[in-house]
Amino acid sequence: RENRKGSFMLNYLWGFMILTGMLWGAANNNLEAVTQGLLDSAAEAVTLSITMVGILSFWSGVLEVGNQSGLIEWLAEKMEPILNFLFPDLEKNHPARLPIAVNMVANMLGLGMAATPAGLEAMKLLQKDERKNNQASNAMCCFLIINISSLQLIPISMIAYRSQYGSADPTAVLGPALLATGCSTLTAVIFCKLMELRKAVAEK
């Protein structure tokens, strides 16, 4: 019900924005320009969607090949020190560790859409441990905030967008993206650790 309510609210919001734009254009005798803008934007959206679907399909396929070949499991093993630090309450054989690793790797590659299924799977597995008290665990909160901060070593999606719109140097965002997402992720980790410490002190 909540999802449907949120969907209806978004529909009303977008409908209001579109209607307002059309009425504003009509009031200023620019309805023809508004109509042309809608058509151009629709065509551009289709072109961009096709481009992004191709890129997303390619990297999703790479992730799936890596998963089937055991590369993802190997990466998960190499990420164990990081996972142990971020999720100290998570057992080494916990089933959520693998989708968490997949999600983090996909986010590092700037593939937020490809990271989403693994993120949802990880959250479902983490939630199974908390069904009794119906509260988010430290691991769930930490995973969520780190996933949102999304450290990106190679922002593939952003590079694709810039290339699609004719950027002279699509990869110019590598440095700024790494700096921005690095700062956000570091802030997220510090916040999570402080909250874990606060919770541990409160429970004593």
Side-chain angles (χ1 to χ4, degrees):
R1 291 181 179 179
E2 292 295 330
N3 290 337
R4 291 180 180 178
K5 184 177 180 180
S7 178
F8 282 130
M9 290 300 295
L10 286 176
N11 290 337
Y12 286 135
L13 177 62
W14 282 110
F16 173 76
M17 293 173 64
I18 293 172
L19 182 60
T20 302
M22 295 179 66
L23 292 176
W24 181 263
N28 291 275
N29 296 321
N30 288 325
L31 189 57
E32 183 178 351
V34 172
T35 303
Q36 187 61 44
L38 288 172
L39 295 175
D40 293 342
S41 297
E44 186 177 345
V46 171
T47 302
L48 182 61
S49 297
I50 294 174
T51 301
M52 295 310 299
V53 164
I55 295 172
L56 179 62
S57 298
F58 171 75
W59 283 104
S60 296
V62 170
L63 288 175
E64 183 61 26
V65 170
N67 189 27
Q68 295 294 332
S69 64
L71 178 61
I72 298 299
E73 291 185 5
W74 178 80
L75 286 174
E77 292 178 0
K78 296 300 180 182
M79 291 176 65
E80 274 196 5
I82 298 176
L83 296 178
N84 291 336
F85 172 73
L86 295 175
F87 311 103
D89 298 333
L90 208 61
E91 300 86 355
K92 288 188 176 181
N93 60 346
H94 197 286
R97 293 176 73 94
L98 182 58
I100 287 176
V102 173
N103 176 269
M104 294 179 69
V105 170
N107 275 327
M108 288 179 187
L109 294 175
L111 301 170
M113 292 178 286
T116 300
L120 293 174
E121 179 64 21
M123 193 61 77
K124 287 180 181 179
L125 293 172
L126 292 172
Q127 190 179 18
K128 287 182 179 179
D129 301 334
E130 303 299 323
R131 284 186 177 178
K132 293 182 179 179
N133 54 23
N134 198 28
Q135 292 181 352
S137 63
N138 289 340
M140 293 174 68
C141 294
C142 185
F143 176 64
L144 178 61
I145 195 170
I146 290 176
N147 188 55
I148 293 172
S149 65
S150 186
L151 174 65
Q152 294 190 11
L153 303 179
I154 307 175
I156 292 174
S157 297
M158 184 58 66
I159 292 173
Y161 284 131
R162 288 170 59 83
S163 178
Q164 177 68 26
Y165 286 105
S167 173
D169 187 8
T171 59
V173 296
L174 282 173
L178 179 59
L179 178 61
T181 57
C183 290
S184 65
T185 302
L186 179 61
T187 303
V189 172
I190 293 174
F191 176 80
C192 288
K193 292 305 173 182
L194 288 175
M195 291 299 101
E196 287 178 10
L197 180 61
R198 180 182 177 183
K199 184 178 180 180
V201 171
E203 290 177 350
K204 288 183 178 180

